Amino acid sequence: MEAGKYSAVTNAASVYKNKDNKLIAAFEFRVGENNDLMRKRLVLFNADRTIYKRDYDLIRELTGWDGIDPYWIQDNAAIEQWPCEVVVAMEPGFKDSSRMFPNIQWVNTVKGGPSALPTSDRQAILAEYGPMLRAMAGPQPVMNARHTPVKAAAPSVPPPRAPVPALTRPPPGGVKHTQASCWEALQASQPNASSDEVVALWYSLIGERDQATMTSADWANVAEAIGRLSVNPTTTDDEPMPF
């Protein structure tokens, strides 16, 4: 192997104290197209028990290690096969300094690799692409054939059931309808329906509108629609009345 830069992946790792009383994380790499096995020793702690920050930071960036249990590196090096770039230099041998051997001089992390996956704000992405994704997904299975299906994510949750307030004089100009008054009216008109059925019916009346911005006139229209729901017309299945 010649000196130069090569792509590599981890093949194994070992954590141990060397004869100089340093805590070492030794890595074995598969280097280049031929998968040549080469080793590099990185220092976690010096002999005086001070952290060797350069190698410590490199190991964390390379492996995604949380910096706590060093044996996690040893357990996962072969499984994860962390990618990197190694700089190989020709250096004299330990036993015979007259001979030159390839040796890993530096280990560089791969920018944008597994330890640096990009991300974006979840709510912003769903706000931008959610409507298009729902349109592409098409109609979803109807859980209750009586009403439209419940929305998976609603713009706002209907108010909880609340006791009917004491009767008061309507303000000048007629009754002022609100979200709460409409919700109470809907519950009162469907005494035998389950909570899920009432919620589904609520959204079938509201549609895609933002409830937080709806006006009193909008709620008046909703109240009128709820009033029509409480009228049960005679169907063809009913027996005719005797008069």
Side-chain angles (χ1 to χ4, degrees), residues 10-239:
T10 56
N11 188 64
S14 178
V15 176
Y16 64 96
K17 289 181 72 171
N18 67 3
K19 62 181 181 179
D20 297 323
N21 209 33
K22 296 178 180 179
L23 185 62
I24 303 295
F27 288 86
E28 182 178 71
F29 298 95
R30 288 189 280 110
V31 180
E33 295 181 355
N34 295 326
N35 287 321
D36 295 323
L37 294 180
M38 302 185 69
R39 295 177 179 179
K40 177 65 176 177
R41 295 170 179 83
L42 300 175
V43 179
L44 283 169
F45 282 89
N46 296 306
D48 61 359
R49 298 170 61 84
T50 57
I51 192 77
Y52 192 69
K53 195 169 188 313
R54 187 192 70 181
D55 285 0
Y56 173 84
D57 290 343
L58 171 61
I59 292 171
R60 292 196 64 178
E61 186 177 358
L62 169 65
T63 66
W65 174 45
D66 62 7
I68 300 175
D69 180 2
Y71 284 94
W72 180 90
I73 304 166
Q74 178 175 300
D75 295 339
N76 289 276
I79 299 171
E80 299 294 337
Q81 299 183 12
W82 297 300
C84 61
E85 178 188 74
V86 297
V87 179
V88 176
M90 303 303 293
E91 297 179 352
F94 290 108
K95 295 182 179 180
D96 185 355
S97 58
S98 64
R99 297 182 61 188
M100 304 296 287
F101 297 90
N103 193 39
I104 295 178
Q105 193 172 28
W106 301 101
V107 177
N108 300 318
T109 57
V110 179
K111 300 302 181 183
S115 60
L117 290 173
T119 186
S120 297
D121 180 76
R122 178 174 181 170
Q123 291 187 350
I125 293 296
L126 291 179
E128 181 176 357
Y129 296 102
M132 290 181 286
L133 289 171
R134 287 194 293 271
M136 290 294 294
Q140 300 300 303
V142 177
M143 301 305 295
N144 187 331
R146 290 177 56 191
H147 306 301
T148 56
V150 179
K151 293 179 181 290
S156 62
V157 178
R161 293 181 183 267
V164 179
L167 294 177
T168 59
R169 287 182 177 272
V175 177
K176 184 178 180 180
H177 294 283
T178 65
Q179 181 193 52
S181 66
C182 289
W183 177 246
E184 292 170 2
L186 179 62
Q187 293 179 102
S189 71
Q190 305 294 318
N192 298 321
S194 68
S195 296
D196 288 344
E197 290 172 338
V198 175
V199 170
L201 187 55
W202 172 265
Y203 283 114
S204 72
L205 297 170
I206 299 301
E208 297 295 330
R209 288 176 290 182
D210 182 357
Q211 297 178 47
T213 61
M214 289 175 63
T215 65
S216 179
D218 294 329
W219 289 116
N221 292 332
V222 174
E224 183 179 352
I226 293 172
R228 290 196 298 268
L229 289 175
S230 62
V231 177
N232 297 319
T234 302
T235 66
T236 55
D237 294 332
D238 293 334
E239 294 184 4

